[in-house]
Amino acid sequence: MARVEETGGDREENKEEETSWWSPEAVEGGRVGEGPSRGSRGGRGGDGGRPDTPPPPPYSDQVLENVLENVLQFLVCRRDRNAASLVCRSWYRAEAQTRRELSVGNCYAVSPARVVRRFRCARALVLKGRPRFADFNLFPLGWGARFSPWLAAMATAYPWLERVCLKRMTVSDSDLAFLARSFPSFRDLTLICCDGFGTAGLAVIAVLCRNLRILDLIENDVEDEEEEVIDWISRFPETTTSLESLSFECVNCPVNFSALEALVARSPSLRRLRVNQNVSLGQLRRLMARAPHLTHLGTGSFRPGIAEDLNVADLEQAFVSSKSLICLSGFREVAPEHLPAILPVCANLVSLNLSYAVITAEQLKPVILKCNNLRTFWVLDTVGDEGLLAVAKACKNLHELRVFPFEATEDSEGSVSDVGLVAISNGCRKLQSILFFCQRMTNSAVVAMSKNCQDLVVFRLCIMGRHRPDHITREPMDEGFGAIVMNCKKLTRLAVSGLLTDKVFKYIATHGKSIRTLSVAFAGDSDLSLKYVLEGCHSLQKLEIRDSPFGDVGLLSGIHHYYNMRFLWMSSCMLTLSGCKEVAQKMPNLVVEVIGDRPKDLDSDTVEKLYLYRSLEGPRDDVPLFVNIL
Amino acid sequence: MEAVAASYVKDTELRLGLPGSEAPEKPAMRGGKRALPEDDEAAFCKSSPEDASGLRSVGAAPVAKAQVVGWPPIRTYRKNNFQARKAETGADASGLFVKVSMDGAPYLRKIDLKLYQGYKELKEALDSMFKSFSQGESSRKEGCNGSEYAITYEDKDGDLMLVGDVPWEMFTSSCKRLRIMKASEARGLESKQ
């Protein structure tokens, strides 16, 4: 394969093909508009014909590359690195040698073998598997995104691996054990929304990872072992640990408290501790006494245990002593009368998560009115519009707000509404990110927010009753969302809901030029909506759609853009097998998966679930029975 | 026996009524526990011509009260957290989560019984959930895996019962957990009182 030659006019062409072999994300908007050439995967220039390392460059170039490596190692930002790697082959090589953190947004877009071949010296991996809709039971179990193949490749290639962060991957106990055994320098493990593991895996991590600094388990679906729950907390070595962060709120099994207390006592570097709801208030107080320098605290149940007799004053003292606290969460079963115990730290709080605390506005007010430096606030809608008014009054620096529903059903009463949204928009002018669940909303409230909060980057409004119009005018919610895309110029993420026609999608297409993630559910009238979005939203990376009347015509209108996207998800729409096949035929570097809940689903012509994504690898080899790759 | 068969037929019949709404008549309760008649096992396995997709609305007016999968978009993790507390306060639980275990499968799963209108949907859901564990051909056959596995449940009193025995509402209110076991083991239940 003559491609290996460095010189000559080949260079420009080689550069394009090479970038398509790594991450399509490396090529910013529009560059791979035509898609990588068909042959780039298997034919000319494909991996099969290319040796693992090109022959070494001439001596002078080697010196230059070494110098370059020394400079490039200071480049940290992924986009900068991707850009640097496109300059020429020399830079490409140097960058590949010096990249320490690998970030793979879709574990099926690129194979472990390919990654490991290009990047030789990685120390950290960030890997994402299933798309977000998997969190809502839309992906059948066993669909994929297993960590094992990545682990196998890295065990030989990156013996000095230090950090792993996984999101929505399936990680088994044996994976965790293998990880613990394979990487002696391993330090940081973060698992977010993953599944497949239980306390057995955690125990091995505890025992073998002697340099563990971070063990953050966030909203994982930890396997319920019932009889075989292992006391993993007591498996940490008896010596002083290097733990800086320990989060296990989602590991919902009883905790050996004395082991936990002893662990905290011998972890002088511990700054972030988030315990599960089986830790009582009295126990929490003891933990806080052991770790007075904590910055982040997940408080567990925040309820006295059965035999515990605590008064608020005692508890308050614990908070007075924790002068470094800036982030509080937990409150899983909070006894509201104990909440004021946190008052001493409120003024310093930057982040407060009360989204599991079933409290009223009256119970919230004394606390929130002191939280004047709050930037992130998560809360339950039980505080009502009145509670939100208090937030608006007190938290002038608020950047992120999330209001979750206590009753997550379509026909629940709903305690927050347009009134609360307007209040927030008036008081929190610096708002950048909002997630708001409600049952009643008006266009004028959303318009108000679009005008008051011009810094909005993320706007996610979920009107839980499907197809609900503006509850005062009875009009569709088109104008509200239209105003958001028109006025919030920095918007990159949008989730729409309520009664919506094709019109709103025209607005989104016209004004939402920076939108990268769009979530659509029960919206739109016709294929026009999908067409508008795919033709107009040039920055679109992730599009997730459910239960909307979009069919093959809409799907096909995105053919020019799918290579620029990470994925498209469409479920319960009006797609047919022939439409999806056409997309698959026209776009060879796209993997088009048709997912069925039952085997017979795959035989019918209607496509219930479509998941398509660009990939350098073609159809994956771990396809389960209920998935058909076209 | 007649009444039970009738209630099962009702679960699978095509109706014009809103899903989730039930005709008021219910079969008489003849004591809490009965042996499972032979007929019902066959009835339970019967493959049905209609599928559940008709229940989902696509862009049309909303169907009141039918629970749609994954809507509102709240993670199960979060929903589970409130379920127990709502039961305590007597407020309407937004879900009826029960654990499901399968003999031979390493881990338990949780499902929300409120998502299903009847035994057929429940069975389909369990089929797809444990698909990756059941290796046999039976898992691919539409509707019937009775040849290999039987679905049982533990009721409020801790007794193990065959699923499909009692009317659906009675089942959902008394079922504490589900267990999928080999059909050979389940046969013993038929002879229990």
Side-chain angles (χ1 to χ4, degrees), chain B residues 101-120:
Chain B
S101 64
M102 175 161 168
D103 287 2
Y107 297 122
L108 302 177
R109 294 285 163 195
K110 284 196 188 85
I111 59 166
D112 180 358
L113 288 181
K114 278 207 175 167
L115 287 181
Y116 311 107
Q117 267 71 53
Y119 287 114
K120 193 180 72 67

mmCIF file of all heavy atoms in Angstrom, chain B residues 101-120:
data_model
loop_
_atom_site.group_PDB
_atom_site.id
_atom_site.type_symbol
_atom_site.label_atom_id
_atom_site.label_comp_id
_atom_site.label_asym_id
_atom_site.label_seq_id
_atom_site.Cartn_x
_atom_site.Cartn_y
_atom_site.Cartn_z
ATOM 1 N N SER B 101 -36.904 -12.467 39.706
ATOM 2 C CA SER B 101 -35.688 -13.264 39.622
ATOM 3 C C SER B 101 -35.947 -14.434 38.699
ATOM 4 O O SER B 101 -37.074 -14.868 38.510
ATOM 5 C CB SER B 101 -35.271 -13.769 41.002
ATOM 6 O OG SER B 101 -36.267 -14.646 41.501
ATOM 7 N N MET B 102 -34.877 -14.896 38.116
ATOM 8 C CA MET B 102 -35.023 -16.054 37.227
ATOM 9 C C MET B 102 -33.999 -17.083 37.644
ATOM 10 O O MET B 102 -32.820 -16.763 37.789
ATOM 11 C CB MET B 102 -34.789 -15.621 35.790
ATOM 12 C CG MET B 102 -34.811 -16.776 34.824
ATOM 13 S SD MET B 102 -35.093 -16.163 33.168
ATOM 14 C CE MET B 102 -34.708 -17.611 32.222
ATOM 15 N N ASP B 103 -34.446 -18.294 37.801
ATOM 16 C CA ASP B 103 -33.529 -19.350 38.210
ATOM 17 C C ASP B 103 -32.433 -19.483 37.169
ATOM 18 O O ASP B 103 -32.697 -19.689 35.987
ATOM 19 C CB ASP B 103 -34.287 -20.677 38.330
ATOM 20 C CG ASP B 103 -35.175 -20.685 39.563
ATOM 21 O OD1 ASP B 103 -35.213 -19.647 40.263
ATOM 22 O OD2 ASP B 103 -35.825 -21.697 39.817
ATOM 23 N N GLY B 104 -31.219 -19.388 37.651
ATOM 24 C CA GLY B 104 -30.118 -19.534 36.710
ATOM 25 C C GLY B 104 -29.538 -18.200 36.283
ATOM 26 O O GLY B 104 -28.370 -18.125 35.915
ATOM 27 N N ALA B 105 -30.339 -17.158 36.322
ATOM 28 C CA ALA B 105 -29.799 -15.840 35.964
ATOM 29 C C ALA B 105 -29.128 -15.240 37.190
ATOM 30 O O ALA B 105 -29.651 -15.354 38.287
ATOM 31 C CB ALA B 105 -30.921 -14.942 35.473
ATOM 32 N N PRO B 106 -27.993 -14.609 37.017
ATOM 33 C CA PRO B 106 -27.235 -14.140 38.177
ATOM 34 C C PRO B 106 -27.888 -13.007 38.954
ATOM 35 O O PRO B 106 -27.678 -12.885 40.144
ATOM 36 C CB PRO B 106 -25.904 -13.683 37.573
ATOM 37 C CG PRO B 106 -26.168 -13.503 36.132
ATOM 38 C CD PRO B 106 -27.286 -14.385 35.763
ATOM 39 N N TYR B 107 -28.667 -12.178 38.289
ATOM 40 C CA TYR B 107 -29.139 -10.991 38.990
ATOM 41 C C TYR B 107 -30.639 -10.814 38.909
ATOM 42 O O TYR B 107 -31.295 -11.311 38.023
ATOM 43 C CB TYR B 107 -28.464 -9.745 38.420
ATOM 44 C CG TYR B 107 -26.980 -9.752 38.627
ATOM 45 C CD1 TYR B 107 -26.124 -9.675 37.551
ATOM 46 C CD2 TYR B 107 -26.428 -9.854 39.898
ATOM 47 C CE1 TYR B 107 -24.769 -9.693 37.738
ATOM 48 C CE2 TYR B 107 -25.073 -9.876 40.091
ATOM 49 C CZ TYR B 107 -24.243 -9.792 39.008
ATOM 50 O OH TYR B 107 -22.893 -9.799 39.183
ATOM 51 N N LEU B 108 -31.115 -10.030 39.855
ATOM 52 C CA LEU B 108 -32.526 -9.700 39.877
ATOM 53 C C LEU B 108 -32.799 -8.489 39.007
ATOM 54 O O LEU B 108 -31.924 -7.677 38.766
ATOM 55 C CB LEU B 108 -32.961 -9.350 41.300
ATOM 56 C CG LEU B 108 -32.747 -10.388 42.380
ATOM 57 C CD1 LEU B 108 -33.175 -9.800 43.718
ATOM 58 C CD2 LEU B 108 -33.538 -11.622 42.083
ATOM 59 N N ARG B 109 -34.045 -8.369 38.605
ATOM 60 C CA ARG B 109 -34.472 -7.154 37.914
ATOM 61 C C ARG B 109 -35.676 -6.606 38.649
ATOM 62 O O ARG B 109 -36.285 -7.302 39.447
ATOM 63 C CB ARG B 109 -34.875 -7.474 36.468
ATOM 64 C CG ARG B 109 -33.743 -7.933 35.599
ATOM 65 C CD ARG B 109 -32.850 -6.795 35.215
ATOM 66 N NE ARG B 109 -31.578 -7.275 34.723
ATOM 67 C CZ ARG B 109 -30.510 -6.504 34.584
ATOM 68 N NH1 ARG B 109 -30.556 -5.246 34.910
ATOM 69 N NH2 ARG B 109 -29.389 -7.006 34.128
ATOM 70 N N LYS B 110 -36.020 -5.365 38.314
ATOM 71 C CA LYS B 110 -37.248 -4.797 38.906
ATOM 72 C C LYS B 110 -38.153 -4.383 37.771
ATOM 73 O O LYS B 110 -37.703 -3.838 36.783
ATOM 74 C CB LYS B 110 -36.898 -3.546 39.715
ATOM 75 C CG LYS B 110 -36.271 -3.832 41.041
ATOM 76 C CD LYS B 110 -36.328 -2.580 41.925
ATOM 77 C CE LYS B 110 -35.541 -2.767 43.190
ATOM 78 N NZ LYS B 110 -34.116 -2.479 43.055
ATOM 79 N N ILE B 111 -39.433 -4.641 37.927
ATOM 80 C CA ILE B 111 -40.375 -4.125 36.926
ATOM 81 C C ILE B 111 -41.523 -3.409 37.621
ATOM 82 O O ILE B 111 -41.785 -3.629 38.801
ATOM 83 C CB ILE B 111 -40.952 -5.240 36.024
ATOM 84 C CG1 ILE B 111 -41.679 -6.288 36.864
ATOM 85 C CG2 ILE B 111 -39.894 -5.882 35.169
ATOM 86 C CD1 ILE B 111 -42.534 -7.201 36.026
ATOM 87 N N ASP B 112 -42.177 -2.576 36.858
ATOM 88 C CA ASP B 112 -43.297 -1.803 37.372
ATOM 89 C C ASP B 112 -44.582 -2.444 36.860
ATOM 90 O O ASP B 112 -44.913 -2.350 35.679
ATOM 91 C CB ASP B 112 -43.173 -0.357 36.872
ATOM 92 C CG ASP B 112 -44.306 0.521 37.372
ATOM 93 O OD1 ASP B 112 -45.203 0.014 38.074
ATOM 94 O OD2 ASP B 112 -44.287 1.720 37.060
ATOM 95 N N LEU B 113 -45.318 -3.122 37.756
ATOM 96 C CA LEU B 113 -46.519 -3.834 37.334
ATOM 97 C C LEU B 113 -47.584 -2.902 36.761
ATOM 98 O O LEU B 113 -48.436 -3.317 35.994
ATOM 99 C CB LEU B 113 -47.118 -4.620 38.501
ATOM 100 C CG LEU B 113 -46.343 -5.866 38.939
ATOM 101 C CD1 LEU B 113 -47.064 -6.560 40.084
ATOM 102 C CD2 LEU B 113 -46.159 -6.818 37.776
ATOM 103 N N LYS B 114 -47.512 -1.624 37.138
ATOM 104 C CA LYS B 114 -48.538 -0.697 36.654
ATOM 105 C C LYS B 114 -48.431 -0.439 35.163
ATOM 106 O O LYS B 114 -49.344 0.092 34.550
ATOM 107 C CB LYS B 114 -48.427 0.631 37.405
ATOM 108 C CG LYS B 114 -49.090 0.594 38.734
ATOM 109 C CD LYS B 114 -49.557 1.976 39.174
ATOM 110 C CE LYS B 114 -50.328 1.854 40.473
ATOM 111 N NZ LYS B 114 -50.559 3.130 41.119
ATOM 112 N N LEU B 115 -47.320 -0.809 34.586
ATOM 113 C CA LEU B 115 -47.143 -0.568 33.164
ATOM 114 C C LEU B 115 -47.926 -1.541 32.299
ATOM 115 O O LEU B 115 -48.071 -1.334 31.100
ATOM 116 C CB LEU B 115 -45.660 -0.677 32.792
ATOM 117 C CG LEU B 115 -44.770 0.470 33.239
ATOM 118 C CD1 LEU B 115 -43.352 0.206 32.761
ATOM 119 C CD2 LEU B 115 -45.260 1.783 32.670
ATOM 120 N N TYR B 116 -48.397 -2.599 32.900
ATOM 121 C CA TYR B 116 -49.014 -3.647 32.091
ATOM 122 C C TYR B 116 -50.504 -3.743 32.358
ATOM 123 O O TYR B 116 -50.963 -3.609 33.481
ATOM 124 C CB TYR B 116 -48.339 -4.994 32.382
ATOM 125 C CG TYR B 116 -46.832 -4.866 32.326
ATOM 126 C CD1 TYR B 116 -46.068 -4.902 33.488
ATOM 127 C CD2 TYR B 116 -46.185 -4.651 31.112
ATOM 128 C CE1 TYR B 116 -44.705 -4.737 33.439
ATOM 129 C CE2 TYR B 116 -44.822 -4.486 31.062
ATOM 130 C CZ TYR B 116 -44.073 -4.526 32.223
ATOM 131 O OH TYR B 116 -42.729 -4.351 32.180
ATOM 132 N N GLN B 117 -51.225 -3.966 31.283
ATOM 133 C CA GLN B 117 -52.683 -4.049 31.423
ATOM 134 C C GLN B 117 -53.148 -5.458 31.734
ATOM 135 O O GLN B 117 -54.288 -5.660 32.118
ATOM 136 C CB GLN B 117 -53.366 -3.578 30.123
ATOM 137 C CG GLN B 117 -53.714 -2.104 30.146
ATOM 138 C CD GLN B 117 -52.481 -1.247 30.051
ATOM 139 O OE1 GLN B 117 -51.682 -1.409 29.154
ATOM 140 N NE2 GLN B 117 -52.304 -0.353 30.996
ATOM 141 N N GLY B 118 -52.275 -6.410 31.533
ATOM 142 C CA GLY B 118 -52.713 -7.785 31.786
ATOM 143 C C GLY B 118 -51.575 -8.761 31.731
ATOM 144 O O GLY B 118 -50.410 -8.401 31.536
ATOM 145 N N TYR B 119 -51.918 -10.019 31.874
ATOM 146 C CA TYR B 119 -50.892 -11.052 31.950
ATOM 147 C C TYR B 119 -50.078 -11.167 30.670
ATOM 148 O O TYR B 119 -48.885 -11.450 30.688
ATOM 149 C CB TYR B 119 -51.537 -12.407 32.267
ATOM 150 C CG TYR B 119 -52.016 -12.509 33.689
ATOM 151 C CD1 TYR B 119 -53.364 -12.609 33.989
ATOM 152 C CD2 TYR B 119 -51.095 -12.506 34.736
ATOM 153 C CE1 TYR B 119 -53.797 -12.698 35.298
ATOM 154 C CE2 TYR B 119 -51.527 -12.590 36.044
ATOM 155 C CZ TYR B 119 -52.871 -12.688 36.323
ATOM 156 O OH TYR B 119 -53.302 -12.775 37.614
ATOM 157 N N LYS B 120 -50.721 -10.951 29.553
ATOM 158 C CA LYS B 120 -50.005 -11.143 28.291
ATOM 159 C C LYS B 120 -48.843 -10.152 28.168
ATOM 160 O O LYS B 120 -47.724 -10.533 27.833
ATOM 161 C CB LYS B 120 -50.975 -10.983 27.113
ATOM 162 C CG LYS B 120 -50.388 -11.467 25.794
ATOM 163 C CD LYS B 120 -51.372 -11.302 24.661
ATOM 164 C CE LYS B 120 -51.580 -9.866 24.257
ATOM 165 N NZ LYS B 120 -50.387 -9.277 23.646
#
